[in-house]
Amino acid sequence: MGALKTTPLTGYEIELGAKMTPRAGWNTALYYPEGIIAEHRHTRSACSVFDLCSYGKLRVAGKEAAPALDTLFARPAADLGIGRCRRNFMLSETGGVLSLVLMLRMAEDDFLLVTDTGSAAGDLERISAHIAGRDAEVQELTPLLACLGLEGPEARKVLESFAAGPLPEYSCCGTVEIDGFRAIAACAGATGEEGFRLLFNLEYADQLWDLLLETEPVMPAGFGALDSLRLEMGYPACGRELTAEFSPLDSGLGDLVRLDDARSFPGRQALLNRKQRHVLTGLLLETRRAAREGTLVLNAAEEVVGVVTGGSFCPSLETAAALCRLDLACMQPPGSELWCEVTDARLPGRIAEPPFYRGGWAKGDFFLP
């Protein structure tokens, strides 16, 4: 295994005492000295900043950029308005979910895609191959652009304290000036609170990092809190709920894929021929102990009916919760009891439709209009 890649902020995170962990080949902050629970609660009550520089950033521009993306992604791209953003996903020819991206339309023929760390290389390869020969080009911006996430009920107030120009509203994106440099801001959080993705020239990463940490009430948070926050909302993650093995129909995204129009995209025919076999649902456990990814889910007859795709103690709920993929034939109504079989125990829980946490900003849907 080669050396882990670092972001411009890795050294600063280590100086702050962050617990670092490998993530798709990058050295990333899992949590800081106050811990995941404190970071989680602070994000729900105030505002936290996340180093997301390891995310992939791609620009697709040219006269055929919109129609090219429209025939590559499972959700439409051509109808995305200028200055708007939405989450979209690519499928394999067999209908499995390969990647999840945040798609920003900056101009008529100019799109910016923010991809998950683990799928960035594959996304670049697939998009480049798809638009070859068209009047459009792909530019990898990951080595050039930093990305910070600012999440929490105070996020907008914090940005307004030093950003020149109006901030984008929910599901919108635009450019703002921050401390003498320009940044792209997208109002598209991933925690259930109002949140922004900030993209800007890499050389200003430490400058904005310091500015945010010097601003009340911002504190740094790592990927551990980001995962527990998204899980409380029931938001899916690539490699967990979204995998190449399962289709959007099996991963709770079936309603987002339009199969009644003439638009062609990879995996479309497979979805037309494929029946839903699983359902993605939630479990609220009767304990603080979490059932982790891969834990088997049993019914009252001790039959295996599914598997946990992601689980965590949820500080806002004071109990553990899990997202589970269950066999469709074994699905039971909300409130039904199931058990998670961990190493030395069976943890009882009840089926509950996400979001588990309903006290946040949580305007609209994770996947945006």
Side-chain angles (χ1 to χ4, degrees):
M1 180 183 293
L4 292 174
K5 291 182 281 188
T6 59
T7 80
L9 301 174
T10 300
Y12 296 94
E13 294 168 329
I14 293 173
E15 287 179 6
L16 288 172
K19 167 66 175 177
M20 307 300 290
T21 187
R23 187 173 184 269
W26 290 77
N27 194 22
T28 60
L30 182 63
Y31 58 83
Y32 294 85
E34 291 193 39
I36 293 174
I37 292 177
E39 293 170 19
H40 180 116
R41 287 176 172 156
H42 189 80
T43 307
R44 286 271 180 251
S45 63
C47 182
S48 298
V49 59
F50 299 83
D51 175 10
L52 307 180
C53 293
S54 60
Y55 283 9
K57 283 82 70 177
L58 306 174
R59 182 189 182 198
V60 182
K63 291 184 178 180
E64 294 188 73
L69 293 173
D70 209 38
T71 56
L72 180 60
F73 283 86
R75 300 184 73 193
D79 68 349
L80 185 63
I82 297 172
R84 302 300 297 265
C85 58
R86 69 161 60 117
R87 287 183 170 85
N88 210 327
F89 42 93
M90 281 187 280
L91 306 180
S92 68
E93 289 294 350
T94 57
V97 180
L98 296 176
S99 68
L100 176 67
V101 309
L102 177 64
M103 180 180 290
L104 290 67
R105 192 168 196 172
M106 305 305 300
E108 181 68 23
D109 301 326
D110 196 349
F111 293 79
L112 181 61
L113 310 180
V114 183
T115 78
D116 185 76
T117 306
S119 67
D123 290 342
L124 175 62
E125 182 179 344
R126 282 186 289 272
I127 295 172
S128 298
H130 186 75
I131 72 168
R134 300 175 186 250
D135 188 3
E137 63 177 3
V138 180
Q139 182 182 7
E140 184 182 13
L141 299 178
T142 307
L144 304 175
L145 290 183
C147 181
L148 296 182
L150 193 66
E151 303 258 359
E154 299 292 322
R156 182 174 293 271
K157 180 179 177 181
V158 166
L159 275 184
E160 286 176 339
S161 70
F162 52 72
L167 294 178
E169 298 298 327
Y170 175 71
S171 79
C172 295
C173 58
T175 57
V176 296
E177 185 170 321
I178 300 175
D179 205 29
F181 62 89
R182 292 173 66 81
I184 296 171
C187 188
T191 64
E193 306 298 336
E194 186 170 25
F196 295 87
R197 295 290 174 266
L198 302 173
L199 299 125
F200 52 95
N201 193 303
L202 206 68
E203 67 180 284
Y204 299 113
D206 57 345
Q207 181 178 332
L208 183 52
W209 178 259
D210 288 341
L211 179 61
L212 286 169
L213 293 186
E214 291 167 359
T215 304
E216 291 290 342
V218 182
M219 69 178 286
F223 279 97
L226 197 60
D227 189 57
S228 62
L229 287 158
R230 71 96 189 170
L231 195 136
E232 279 189 347
M233 301 304 300
Y235 294 158
C238 264
R240 299 280 189 86
E241 291 72 40
L242 308 179
T243 71
E245 184 181 357
F246 296 96
S247 77
L249 307 179
D250 296 320
S251 302
L253 307 181
D255 291 343
L256 296 175
V257 184
R258 297 205 318 241
L259 298 174
D260 58 352
D261 58 19
R263 189 173 60 91
S264 177
F265 57 87
R268 181 179 188 275
Q269 191 58 47
L271 295 185
L272 288 170
N273 298 333
R274 192 170 179 173
K275 293 183 179 180
Q276 182 178 355
R277 297 171 297 167
H278 302 86
V279 61
L280 190 68
T281 191
L283 277 182
L284 277 178
L285 303 185
E286 298 175 12
T287 173
R288 292 168 63 95
R289 183 176 178 181
R292 302 298 183 183
E293 178 184 0
T295 299
L296 297 180
V297 181
L298 311 177
N299 61 14
E302 299 189 353
E303 300 167 323
V304 176
V305 295
V307 65
V308 172
T309 57
S312 173
F313 170 68
C314 297
S316 306
L317 309 175
E318 290 295 342
T319 192
L323 291 173
C324 308
R325 181 175 280 110
L326 303 182
D327 294 338
L328 183 61
C330 300
M331 182 59 184
Q332 300 177 49
S336 300
E337 193 167 22
L338 295 174
W339 286 262
C340 296
E341 190 169 49
V342 297
T343 305
D344 57 352
R346 287 183 177 173
L347 308 180
R350 296 188 180 276
I351 294 177
E353 289 299 319
F356 307 118
Y357 176 70
R358 300 173 184 268
W361 187 71
K363 182 178 181 181
D365 183 80
F366 176 66
F367 284 93
L368 307 176

